[in-house]
Amino acid sequence: MNSTVFEKLCRDARETALLGSVESLLGWDERTMMPSAAGEYRAEQMTLLAGMIHERRTNPRVGQWLDELLAAPEGQNRHTELGATIHQLKRQYDKKVKLPQRLVEELTRTSVLGQQTWVEARAADDFARFRPLLEQTIALKREQADALGYPECRYDALLDEYEPQALTSQVAQVLAELRAQLVPLVAAIRDSGRRPDTRFLKAHFPAAIQEEFGKLAAAEIGFEFQRGRLDITAHPFCTSVGPHDCRITTRYEEDYFPSAFFGVLHEAGHGIYDQGLLPEQYGLPLGEAVSLGIHESQSRLWENLVGRSRGFWEHFYPALQQRFPDLKRVAEADFYFAINDVQPSLIRVEADEATYNLHILIRFELEQALLNDELRVADLPGAWREKYEHYLGLTPPNNADGVLQDIHWSAGLIGYFPTYSLGNLYAAQFFERANQDLGGLQDLFRAGDFTPLRQWLRKELHEPGQRYSATELVERVTGKQLSHVPLMRHLRGKLGPLYGLA
């Protein structure tokens, strides 16, 4: 194999990643610091960058290098460092060359303007203000799907952007299996007659103290603040600006403690994954996440399987009581029950572990209908209300807490939502295996020791980068194919005792 060609390919990919990191920084600034009047110019900045990045990624010389390297024997093994790098870059190249630069630039421009319009529309509860940009976004995403091509349906092409090689039919099947067991569990909890007292979660919690406690917890579980930071935004997110620059965000509600705190744990979980990738591989496939589903598994694992566990709060609750003295009247067991309350709700990001995936099913079904021309954007608010009534028995009182609650569609992230449910499934399966390998994770949490779990995750999931596909990684780490069984076992094991279920 020509090592010089491989070096050129890697150098080119790293330089493209530098441009991508500038684009990420502009995106972070747009959602945290940028003056509202600067929106149109920021759209032009990011559109220019997106065009430059696309031009580099589709340069014919990159295709020639990849073809030459793939022809060599050393390039055949997809799981070696060299082979994985070549195969993943080839996969990305083959997809990018199908997209016209005009489409890439228009998608970027529309997403930047769309996010800014979404913020205004949600604040004003005005879907009509957002509708034209969403219609434009859906039209562009249809064009993108058709340009990329797909094995079964348009949604496959967009899902593949976030969960490579996954098919819509496969995701629908695993979610159907999960739903079949979730619905009876939620019904049994509803009929149990047990309800925690959650009033103390809706007291006064000053944002500054929430921030201090959130940073404390994030640092203890392993988010490295010397390589990252926490800021405020309208819709929490995590972004990587470089191998040692990870930005996480949250939003504070001073009259409801769980919102920001579990948001911080969620985004810190994303950040711990980014910080666990090999920095020397930054810009190359072995320094990138496997998929959004695997990325979500890390955020959901730290948020729920760790952050809502009994051991976690036996360690952290005294520190929380010290900062919020009114909680000294609340027993730790009562606090634990309250933060694990199962109650159908309107807002996805505040949903409990048991009902969360029903929120995802709603979005999954609506996205497919929009792409397939089976649902008009104008009819989306009504369709949203109907599905919430059907799945959760709730009717949104307005669009701000209904169809406008998520930023994803404004950013053009069609196909992203299923990765949240996949993340829940992956998380439970990984956590179960980690508990077997490490033994007694709850005892470690009670002692405030989160290092063994973090190191296990880094070794098994983070450091391999894209050496394996998501499917291969799950089987390699757990010895089993992805299944809904570990998640249901986790939910029944936690919620059964709380709600007196047999």
Side-chain angles (χ1 to χ4, degrees):
M1 188 195 72
N2 191 331
S3 59
T4 302
V5 172
F6 183 67
E7 290 169 2
K8 288 180 179 178
L9 178 69
C10 290
R11 188 183 310 115
D12 182 83
R14 291 180 191 277
E15 290 174 356
T16 303
L18 281 173
L19 282 175
S21 67
V22 174
E23 187 179 35
S24 295
L25 184 57
L26 286 174
W28 169 85
D29 177 75
E30 177 205 344
R31 294 167 64 183
T32 56
M33 303 288 186
M34 186 188 76
S36 58
E40 288 192 15
Y41 192 69
R42 178 56 47 87
E44 294 305 312
Q45 291 173 315
M46 294 185 71
T47 299
L48 176 63
L49 271 174
M52 293 169 65
I53 291 168
H54 183 71
E55 189 174 356
R56 289 183 61 91
R57 285 176 172 168
T58 58
N59 190 314
R61 70 178 179 182
V62 173
Q64 293 168 3
W65 291 337
L66 287 166
D67 288 341
E68 181 177 339
L69 293 168
L70 282 168
E74 300 93 327
Q76 301 305 308
N77 189 339
R78 295 190 302 108
H79 296 147
T80 64
E81 177 179 337
L82 187 147
T85 300
I86 295 170
H87 278 269
Q88 289 297 334
L89 289 176
K90 173 64 173 174
R91 184 178 187 279
Q92 295 169 20
Y93 177 82
D94 287 346
K95 289 182 65 176
K96 297 299 181 184
V97 295
K98 295 178 180 179
L99 299 176
Q101 183 156 330
R102 170 203 57 79
L103 176 60
V104 172
E105 292 176 348
E106 191 58 31
L107 280 165
T108 301
R109 181 182 293 107
T110 304
S111 72
V112 176
L113 296 176
Q115 290 174 75
Q116 294 162 17
T117 304
W118 169 80
V119 171
E120 298 167 356
R122 186 166 191 253
D125 187 22
D126 185 1
F127 181 76
R129 184 184 303 188
F130 179 54
R131 175 181 157 185
L133 272 164
L134 183 56
E135 288 174 335
Q136 185 178 357
T137 297
I138 296 299
L140 290 170
K141 298 307 284 189
R142 289 184 188 130
E143 185 179 351
Q144 179 185 357
D146 292 342
L148 288 169
Y150 41 84
E152 296 177 0
C153 64
R154 267 181 179 160
Y155 200 81
D156 288 341
L158 303 185
L159 176 64
D160 187 78
E161 293 289 293
Y162 309 106
E163 200 64 16
Q165 302 175 44
L167 296 177
T168 307
S169 57
Q170 295 170 338
V171 174
Q173 177 64 32
V174 73
L175 292 186
E177 292 169 352
L178 178 61
R179 181 182 180 277
Q181 296 200 15
L182 268 180
V183 171
L185 175 62
V186 173
I189 290 171
R190 181 194 61 217
D191 297 339
S192 70
R194 293 194 183 186
R195 284 289 174 273
D197 182 357
T198 60
R199 289 173 295 180
F200 52 80
L201 296 178
K202 301 173 183 177
H204 180 57
F205 299 95
I209 303 177
Q210 288 192 60
E211 180 183 9
E212 185 265 334
F213 183 69
K215 284 184 174 180
L216 169 72
E220 280 206 39
I221 66 173
F223 183 77
E224 302 173 39
F225 278 97
Q226 70 273 24
R227 301 173 62 202
R229 56 181 289 131
L230 171 66
D231 292 280
I232 299 173
T233 190
H235 189 103
F237 67 96
C238 168
T239 192
S240 177
V241 184
H244 302 292
D245 188 353
C246 181
R247 313 289 177 95
I248 62 175
T249 61
T250 194
R251 62 185 179 207
Y252 295 100
E253 294 183 25
E254 294 197 321
D255 58 355
Y256 187 62
F257 171 76
S259 182
F261 181 74
F262 289 107
V264 169
L265 290 188
H266 181 97
E267 302 306 337
H270 280 303
I272 290 169
Y273 187 2
D274 284 344
Q275 291 177 340
L277 296 167
L278 295 173
E280 64 271 21
Q281 291 284 345
Y282 188 81
L284 299 174
L286 268 63
E288 297 178 2
V290 181
S291 72
L292 259 294
I294 297 297
H295 222 310
E296 284 300 328
S297 80
Q298 302 307 280
S299 59
R300 300 296 284 175
L301 183 148
W302 287 107
E303 175 192 358
N304 289 325
L305 287 106
V306 177
R308 295 184 194 269
S309 72
R310 193 65 183 264
F312 181 93
W313 285 107
E314 287 181 8
H315 170 65
F316 275 110
Y317 196 53
L320 184 67
Q321 289 176 310
Q322 182 181 9
R323 288 162 176 79
F324 300 106
D326 286 350
L327 291 177
K328 290 180 179 179
R329 297 190 295 251
V330 180
E332 179 270 326
D334 293 333
F335 180 86
Y336 171 71
F337 193 4
I339 62 167
N340 285 292
D341 181 29
V342 173
Q343 191 77 259
S345 60
L346 290 169
I347 308 300
R348 175 187 63 84
V349 295
E350 295 174 3
D352 59 80
E353 286 184 87
T355 62
Y356 182 92
N357 293 295
L358 299 178
H359 292 260
I360 300 305
L361 278 167
I362 290 170
R363 291 152 175 80
F364 181 46
E365 292 172 3
L366 289 174
E367 286 185 339
Q368 292 177 72
L370 286 168
L371 278 183
N372 293 333
D373 294 310
E374 297 165 358
L375 175 65
R376 297 188 311 154
V377 170
D379 298 327
L380 188 56
W384 183 284
R385 285 192 293 272
E386 288 176 8
K387 286 194 177 290
Y388 263 78
E389 290 166 0
H390 175 66
Y391 279 105
L392 292 158
L394 300 171
T395 303
N398 52 49
N399 286 324
D401 289 334
V403 71
L404 288 173
Q405 69 177 265
D406 295 303
I407 196 173
H408 300 63
W409 291 341
S410 72
L413 303 179
I414 311 296
Y416 189 121
F417 278 118
T419 67
Y420 287 115
S421 284
L422 290 173
N424 288 332
L425 295 165
Y426 291 140
Q429 198 156 326
F430 290 143
F431 191 83
E432 191 170 79
R433 183 56 193 234
N435 196 45
Q436 293 170 6
D437 289 353
L438 299 173
L441 283 176
Q442 291 302 315
D443 290 335
L444 291 171
F445 299 164
R446 287 186 188 95
D449 189 0
F450 303 95
T451 301
L453 175 59
R454 187 176 67 256
Q455 290 178 337
W456 185 92
L457 292 168
R458 179 166 290 190
K459 175 178 178 291
E460 299 290 344
L461 305 177
H462 306 169
E463 291 183 349
Q466 294 181 353
R467 193 181 293 261
Y468 309 101
S469 69
T471 299
E472 292 169 335
L473 189 66
V474 170
E475 293 187 17
R476 181 179 176 85
V477 173
T478 70
K480 300 175 182 178
Q481 293 182 341
L482 179 65
S483 168
H484 66 285
V485 173
L487 178 56
M488 292 306 305
R489 189 157 44 227
H490 159 71
L491 292 174
R492 291 191 183 104
K494 173 192 281 189
L495 301 174
L498 289 175
Y499 288 94
L501 306 180

